[in-house]
Amino acid sequence: MPDETEGVAPAPAECSNQRVAGTNRREPPEVLKGRTTTEVPRPASNGIAWLGRGGIVALGAVLLAGVTLIDYSMGADFLFVLFYFVPVALFAWFLDRRAAGVMAVACGIGWWSADRLAGHVYPRELYRVWNALTCVASFALLAWGVSEIRGRLEGEHRLAVALAEALEAREKATEQIRKLQSQIQVVC
């Protein structure tokens, strides 16, 4: 006879497998104890979301222009690529993957422009193009990663809300069952 638990994923670490004394139910996850569905924690998004899509696009454009200008003013000897990650991550978190991809390309163009205008001399122009494409690939990877994390957090939030609603409904049903059980007369 095959084992009934074979192929069943173990419970997550934050879930308790402890049964509530005298009942057949398990404890809810720690994050949901004593909460209603409106109190389930959301992924961090409130920082600048109030700006709206247009405001975030404008902020990203200003950040890109600022980073490009600073990169140009630092000259060819100072590598400033890391700071181009900020507008890409901003777009990936607050907008969507497509907008973040556009910003990744724009940041690559910004880096290439700053590098060229700063007078960085390469033995061949192909090296500058290769470096720019490497930057764009790095920015695109960051855009994908940040938007993937954001999407998964949103999915987990939806599941947490659904679980909280199900737990709430189960508690109400259990209470109704207890009331009905107390009203049942045993006839011998």
Side-chain angles (χ1 to χ4, degrees), residues 27-159:
E27 287 288 328
E30 204 56 43
V31 71
L32 297 176
K33 283 187 178 178
R35 294 179 186 257
T36 63
T37 56
T38 57
E39 296 173 333
V40 175
R42 286 192 65 78
S45 66
N46 299 334
I48 60 168
W50 58 271
L51 287 174
R53 186 172 181 88
I56 291 171
V57 169
L59 178 61
V62 167
L63 284 171
L64 173 58
V67 168
T68 303
L69 183 63
I70 293 169
D71 191 10
Y72 164 72
S73 68
M74 294 299 230
D77 296 327
F78 191 76
L79 189 59
F80 210 69
V81 173
L82 183 67
F83 296 97
Y84 288 96
F85 285 177
V86 174
V88 174
L90 176 80
F91 271 42
W93 189 262
F94 290 103
L95 299 179
D96 54 31
R97 192 173 288 168
R98 185 175 178 191
V102 169
M103 180 54 83
V105 171
C107 284
I109 292 169
W111 177 87
W112 179 83
S113 300
D115 190 57
R116 187 167 180 84
L117 293 173
H120 192 175
V121 179
Y122 291 94
R124 293 190 177 120
E125 189 59 26
L126 180 64
Y127 296 167
R128 184 187 323 272
V129 172
W130 172 258
N131 287 345
L133 291 175
T134 302
C135 287
V136 169
S138 299
F139 301 149
L141 187 60
L142 174 76
W144 175 82
V146 170
S147 65
E148 186 70 20
I149 289 168
R150 177 60 189 233
R152 289 179 185 224
L153 284 173
E154 285 293 331
E156 285 181 17
H157 180 262
R158 285 190 297 275
L159 289 173

Side-chain angles (χ1 to χ4, degrees), residues 164-178:
E165 289 172 351
L167 288 172
E168 215 173 286
R170 188 181 86 178
E171 289 299 319
K172 287 179 183 176
T174 302
E175 189 59 36
Q176 288 176 346
I177 289 171
R178 285 189 183 125

